């Protein structure tokens, strides 16, 4: 069996000889090229050493091989043909014995574990709209009438596994295979992938499905799927790797014989054509072309070796020249002594200049000390003046507050009386208007009464004259019916009046429920917030900066590394404030009250503030910066009564700067903390109206709506200003704590908050359920009322209808009788109206008198209070003018004080900056001194010479030395470096030449061995094919031989159908009958197949020119040959019936569906 070559890559190997040699078996492309004569290298290339600089010399070894003969490649390749011909008889005898043993030996034909086709699927391909052909693992026959699309299976297999459209002889492009009327086509081939030699089973699994999609628009692509139908790759290169791994060789014309190829091979092929099929099918031709290209590559390598020999000589010459320059440079070291002396003086001259500058800074600092003392005295004087102005201003404010306290109850009383006066005035005006309307209405009602009485008398006289007692009885019956109807109407109207109360009860229940729902939602949110805060506390344990800006650690590191600060900033403030453990329930309110102050920093000077702000901008962490003084403030006389907690009393502050800042900016010593809202209100606004001592604000917990508990974490802040009081909500702090708190205590406290929030949620839910029950009861009551209302309305309607009927009957009999009733109704209405107007008029007169009396008393009280209020307002206005005057004086004094303090600070800053400059100068002097000491011990500098003078003299000397060096090509170090580089380049070139020569020698040796092995392959394959051919002919009692002429590249058959003839000379194939010729060619095909390594063989319509006898024999012979080819898969296509083939487990027959009616040929797109 011939070797199966690996797939050849597409990379070129012209530039890298080594890469080309290593990949020659897989990267060579066949092509005509004239072979260059192989040259030999002369051994013993001279190498010299340069021991002074430590060079290790290396000899170049060049192999002297036997040169190839000057003939071309094919001449050298075929040089052993005569030896092959001499050994042919011996080879044929050995092959015949092996073939007979192979034919006689029984081997179970088991399916291969991988590399065989399991299924072929086509969609819109050729004549098939949807075709799936499952393949057996061993022998497959595809049968069907002409035009049924048998060959489409073979064509689909070739194209799906990467074959070209032209190689199938069925079309010129992919789009020609798309079914008429369709735009796209899909092919799929499933390949078995099991066993030890499976292809990447960890990626693909037990099978590989190759899909190819193409369309009429020209698009085409592949998809490689694993056993789980997941797409693994879409690259053509991966498909080629799979084909190479399984050695499918679908582009081998002997591996997949299409109709045209089978027809050409079986019937029309000449001896030369058969030889081409033979060398292509056994892959001998491909190996031959690869070896020819490999020899050409070896030739080009030897040419490069000749070129490299010249390059080595050039590098050797460069090394010798560099060595000579190095020796010359050693003599040019005369000017270095002068340069060294000038360099030493210049170094110490710089030290002297810096020491003089340091003395100037020391003198300037002494002058600033005196200036600071003068300005501090002036600042003290301004501070005394400001203190006096501030005390005067505070006394004036206290006077205004006292007057306002005196005015407040009088003003409140006056406002209340004035409100009553306006209300009475409005009532009086309304009463007068009502009296006028009632008087006019009363006169009209009395006239209507008189008119109705006169009409009734006249109507009674007329009716008595017209009808006697019967009419009176009928009138009485009508009156009774009318009374019954009015009574029922009254019942209905009375019942209707109850609806308003029921509606109110329902609306009230709905409002209560609507009000309870947000309370329940708020309670639920409170539970979630409390649990989230507890989780954050637990997850942030040990993280001190969790509540700050994420870039704070970067800022702190930058502050630590900064050296310009007079005093290092203190911050963030929250790091220096600790809440007492017993007061942990105030933590949220304190966080919200302080706000951004806890993230701020405190410095002691303006310069430090500017430095800190620059650093914060640089690191991207914005913070507030306060300027303060580290001297503790005296607050012993400015705090509230000791019985009350203040923010200051529940905190432990570890920095005086931080404590002063919080006292000044947040008044922590005068902010009282009281848990109960009622107690807080009583404390701030007691019954006596006096404000609490030393208290600017009071903070309490916010009440919880819906119960009597307090909202933990939320509060209300009550504060007093000069002119008013105010209250502000304090929202819960939802972020990590910045105040220093014991973490375990905070977690315990937060767990209590979670439990309380859950209790509030339970209470809110219970109240909500109760209100829902109340609402449902109100709705039931309203439904019962509606039912009763309908019944009362029905009774009233019936009674009213009865009254209407008898009244209408009476009017029909005596139409004028209704006149009396109408007049009586008018009389009753007029009398009732007159009575009501008289009663309302009398009540109005009494009410008016009462209002007038009350208004007179209220006016007298207002006049007295107005005088008191005006007097107090005048005093307050005068006091406010005084405050404004004193405020201006205090502001002026404060401005002068701050200006004086600022001048002191500026002078101190100037001193600090100068001290920093002096310190930097001292460090610079020390640095210069250290650097100069590294050059040499201190040397005196020539009198009158400065650094600039020495530098110019040094430059002149250096230029003089450089001119000398330019003449020698560089400094001594440069020349030593150049000599080393030249030596390394020469050594590397020698090594590369040695390696290249070794590689060329090894490749040539390998090439000779591979060429001999290829000739042996061809010899043994030819011998085996001849033996197989003879043996297969004998199965039908034929005798013949296979003639292979490798020199002329001819393959011919000699067959004698009559085995009884004694002549050894057979007949040429042209003298045979059609069946005999086809049978003989089938034997040749099977012989070649035995020499092929692919796991699959495909043959299309091999028996179209055979008679039944030859076809039966050929079919059995092919089946037997297939069974002897253990593990090989066969796909045989025939239009004939398969009735003569015995069914077996290893034979699978696929019958194609008959072609559609009227279809005679397959239609392909152009």
């Amino acid at each position: 069996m011939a070797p199966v070559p690996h797939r050849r890559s597409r990379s070129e190997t012209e530039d890298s000889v080594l890469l080309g040699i290593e990949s020659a078996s897989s990267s060579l492309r066949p092509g005509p090229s004239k072979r260059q004569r192989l040259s030999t290298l002369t051994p013993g290339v001279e190498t010299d050493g340069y021991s002074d600089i430590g060079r290790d010399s290396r000899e170049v070894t060049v192999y002297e091989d036997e040169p190839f003969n000057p003939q071309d490649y094919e001449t050298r390749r075929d040089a052993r043909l005569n030896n092959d011909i001499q050994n042919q008889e011996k080879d044929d005898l050995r092959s015949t014995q092996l073939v007979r043993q192979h034919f006689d030996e029984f081997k179970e034909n088991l399916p291969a574990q991988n590399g065989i086709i399991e299924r072929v699927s086509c969609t819109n391909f050729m004549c098939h709209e949807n075709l799936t052909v499952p393949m057996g693992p061993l022998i497959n026959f595809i049968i069907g009438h002409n035009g049924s699309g048998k060959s489409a299976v073979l064509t689909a297999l070739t194209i799906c596994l990467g074959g070209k459209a032209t190689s199938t002889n069925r079309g010129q492009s992919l789009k020609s295979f798309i079914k008429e009327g369709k735009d796209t086509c899909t092919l799929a081939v499933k390949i078995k992938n099991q066993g030890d030699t499976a292809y990447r089973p960890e990626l693909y699994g037990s099978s590989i499905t190759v899909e190819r999609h193409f369309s009429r628009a020209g698009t085409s692509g592949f998809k490689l799927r694993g056993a789980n139908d997941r797409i693994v790759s879409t690259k053509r290169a991966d498909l080629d790797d799979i084909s190479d791994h399984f050695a499918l060789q679908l582009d081998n014309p002997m591996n997949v014989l299409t109709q045209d190829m089978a027809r050409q091979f079986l019937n029309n092929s000449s001896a030369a054509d058969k030889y081409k099929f033979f060398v292509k099918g056994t892959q001998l031709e491909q190996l031959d072309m690869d070896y020819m290209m490999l020899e050409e590559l070896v030739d080009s390598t030897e040419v490069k070796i000749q070129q490299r020999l010249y390059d080595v000589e050039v590098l050797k010459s460069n090394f010798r020249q560099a060595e000579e320059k190095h020796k010359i440079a050693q003599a040019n070291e005369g000017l270095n002594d002068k340069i060294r002396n000038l360099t030493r003086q210049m170094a110490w001259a710089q030290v002297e200049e810096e020491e003089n500058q340091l003395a100037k800074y020391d003198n300037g600092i002494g002058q600033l000390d005196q200036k600071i003392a003068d300005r501090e005295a002036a600042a003290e004087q301004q501070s005394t003046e400001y203190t006096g102005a501030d005390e005067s201003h505070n006394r004036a404010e206290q006077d205004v507050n006292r007057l306002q306290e005196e005015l407040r109850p009088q003003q409140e009383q006056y406002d209340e009386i004035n409100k009553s006066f306006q209300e009475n005035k409005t009532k009086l005006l309304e009463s007068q208007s009502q009296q006028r309307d009632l008087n006019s209405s009363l006169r009209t009602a009395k006239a209507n009464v008189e008119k109705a009485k006169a009409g009734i008398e006249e109507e009674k006289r007329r009716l008595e004259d017209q009808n006697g007692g019967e009419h009176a009885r009928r009138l009485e019956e009508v009156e009774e019916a009318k009374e019954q109807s009015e009574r029922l109407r009254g019942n209905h109207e009375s019942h209707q009046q109850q609806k308003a109360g029921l509606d109110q009860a329902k609306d009230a229940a709905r409002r209560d429920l609507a009000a309870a729902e947000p309370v329940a939602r708020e309670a639920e949110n409170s539970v979630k917030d409390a649990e989230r805060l507890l989780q954050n506390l637990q997850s942030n344990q040990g993280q001190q900066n969790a509540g700050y800006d994420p870039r704070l650690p970067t800022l702190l590191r930058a502050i630590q590394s900064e050296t310009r600060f007079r005093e290092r900033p203190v911050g963030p403030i929250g790091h220096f404030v600790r809440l007492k453990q017993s007061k942990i329930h105030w933590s949220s309110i304190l966080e919200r009250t302080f706000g951004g102050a806890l993230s701020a920093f405190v410095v002691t000077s303006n310069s430090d503030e500017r430095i800190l702000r620059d650093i914060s901008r640089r690191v991207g962490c914005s913070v507030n910066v306060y300027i303060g003084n580290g001297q503790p403030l005296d607050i012993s006389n400015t705090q509230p009564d000791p019985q009350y907690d203040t923010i200051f009393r529940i905190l432990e502050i570890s920095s005086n700067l931080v404590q002063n800042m919080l006292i000044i900016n947040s008044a922590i010593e005068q902010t009282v903390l009281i848990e109960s809202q009622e107690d807080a209100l009583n404390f701030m606004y007691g019954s006596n109206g006096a404000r609490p001592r030393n208290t600017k604000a009071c903070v309490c917990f916010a009440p919880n709506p819906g119960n009597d508990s307090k909202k933990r974490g939320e509060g209300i802040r009550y504060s007093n200003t000069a002119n008013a009081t105010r209250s502000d909500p304090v929202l819960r702090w939802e972020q990590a704590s910045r105040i220093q708190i014991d973490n375990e205590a905070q977690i315990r406290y937060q767990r209590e908050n979670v439990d309380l929030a859950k209790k509030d949620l339970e209470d809110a839910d219970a109240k909500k359920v109760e209100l829902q029950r109340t609402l449902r009861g109100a709705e039931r009551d309203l439904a019962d009322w509606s039912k009763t209302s309908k019944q009362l309305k029905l009774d009233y309607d019936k009674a009213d209808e009865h009254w209407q009927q008898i009244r209408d009957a009476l009017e029909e009999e005596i139409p004028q009788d209704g006149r009396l009733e109408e007049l009586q109704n008018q009389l009753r209405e007029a009398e009732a109206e007159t009575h009501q107007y008289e009663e309302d008029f009398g009540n109005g007169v009494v009410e008016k008198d009462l209002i007038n009396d009350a208004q007179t008393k209220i006016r007298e009280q207002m006049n007295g209070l107005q005088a008191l209020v005006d007097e107090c307002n005048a005093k307050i206005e005068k006091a406010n003018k005084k405050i404004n005057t004193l405020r201006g004086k205090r502001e002026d004094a404060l401005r002068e004080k701050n200006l004086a303090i600022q001048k002191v600070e500026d002078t101190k800053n100037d001193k600090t900056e100068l001290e920093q400059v002096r310190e930097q100068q001292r460090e610079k002097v020390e640095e210069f001194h250290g650097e100069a000491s590294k050059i040499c011990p201190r040397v005196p500098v020539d009198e009158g010479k400065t650094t600039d003078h020495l530098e110019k003299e040094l430059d002149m000397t250096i230029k003089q030395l450089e001119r000398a060096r330019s003449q020698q090509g560089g400094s001594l170090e440069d020349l030593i470096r150049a000599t080393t580089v030249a030596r390394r380049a020469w050594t590397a070139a020698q090594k590369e030449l040695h390696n290249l020569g070794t590689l060329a020698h090894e490749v040539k040796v390998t090439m000779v061995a591979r060429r001999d092995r290829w000739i042996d392959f061809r010899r043994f394959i030819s011998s085996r094919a001849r033996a197989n051919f003879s043996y297969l002919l004998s199965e039908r009692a034929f005798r013949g031989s296979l003639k292979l002429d490798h020199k002329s590249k001819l393959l011919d058959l000699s067959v004698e159908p009559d085995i009884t003839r004694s002549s050894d000379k057979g007949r040429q194939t042209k003298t045979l009958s059609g069946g005999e010729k086809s049978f003989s060619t089938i034997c040749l095909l099977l012989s070649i197949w035995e020499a092929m390594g692919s796991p699959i063989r495909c043959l299309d319509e091999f028996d179209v020119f055979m008679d039944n006898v030859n076809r039966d024999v050929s079919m059995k012979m092919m089946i037997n040959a297939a069974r002897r080819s253990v593990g090989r898969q066969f796909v045989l296509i025939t239009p004939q019936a398969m009735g003569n083939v015995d069914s077996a487990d290893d034979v699978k027959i696929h019958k194609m569906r008959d072609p559609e009616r009227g279809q005679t040929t397959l239609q392909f797109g152009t």
Side-chain angles (χ1 to χ4, degrees), residues 17 85 253 298 384 396 499 501 593 646 662 696 757 779 809 1152 1163:
V17 176
I85 294 173
V298 172
T384 302
K499 185 175 185 300
T593 299
T646 63
L662 294 178
K696 289 187 176 181
E779 289 174 345
M1152 304 298 291
Q1163 301 295 329

Side-chain angles (χ1 to χ4, degrees), residues 838-890:
E838 288 176 346
E839 185 177 353
D840 291 343
F841 186 80
N843 292 335
V845 172
V846 174
E847 183 179 0
K848 179 181 177 182
D849 294 340
L850 293 175
I851 292 173
N852 280 329
D853 294 340
Q855 193 75 340
T856 301
K857 294 178 180 179
I858 290 173
R859 185 180 292 109
E860 292 175 354
Q861 293 178 359
M862 283 179 59
N863 293 336
L865 289 173
Q866 183 64 48
L868 295 175
V869 170
D870 292 342
E871 182 181 356
C872 287
N873 283 329
K875 293 180 180 179
I876 292 173
E877 183 177 0
K878 182 178 179 181
N880 282 329
K881 290 180 180 179
K882 183 179 179 180
I883 286 176
N884 292 333
T885 302
L886 293 174
R887 184 181 293 114
K889 292 181 179 180
R890 187 185 67 170

Side-chain angles (χ1 to χ4, degrees), residues 593-726:
T593 299
F594 287 138
L598 292 177
S599 302
F601 285 72
V602 185
V603 297
T604 58
S605 63
N606 291 334
S607 60
D608 288 351
E609 178 194 13
R610 289 192 295 270
I611 295 172
L612 180 56
R613 291 193 184 278
D614 290 341
I615 295 174
S616 67
R617 283 193 296 269
R618 186 172 68 246
V619 302
C621 181
S622 178
V623 295
N624 293 327
V625 182
Y626 298 98
I627 301 176
N629 194 320
Q631 188 66 27
L633 295 176
D634 183 11
I635 57 173
S636 58
N637 296 325
T638 60
Q639 298 189 57
D641 294 339
Q643 61 179 329
Y644 298 108
D645 282 337
T646 63
I647 295 179
F648 175 77
R649 289 169 180 165
I650 68 172
L651 294 179
E652 296 174 355
I653 303 174
S654 58
S655 170
N656 291 334
L657 271 175
V658 172
Q659 178 173 307
N660 293 347
M661 193 282 295
L662 294 178
I663 290 173
I664 295 172
N665 292 280
S666 300
I668 60 174
E669 85 287 8
Q670 294 184 349
T671 301
V672 176
L673 302 177
I674 298 177
E675 295 186 6
S676 170
Q677 182 187 24
E678 182 179 357
D679 294 341
L681 289 172
N682 291 333
F683 172 77
M684 288 295 291
Y685 316 112
S687 59
N688 56 4
R691 294 188 178 184
R693 185 177 66 89
N694 293 334
T695 302
K696 289 187 176 181
C698 178
V699 181
C700 67
F701 286 110
N704 196 354
N707 55 44
D708 296 333
S709 63
K710 301 183 290 295
K711 281 189 176 181
R712 287 200 170 191
E714 297 185 21
I716 301 176
R717 180 185 177 92
Y718 297 102
S719 58
N720 291 318
T721 61
N723 298 318
T725 60
R726 57 181 298 175

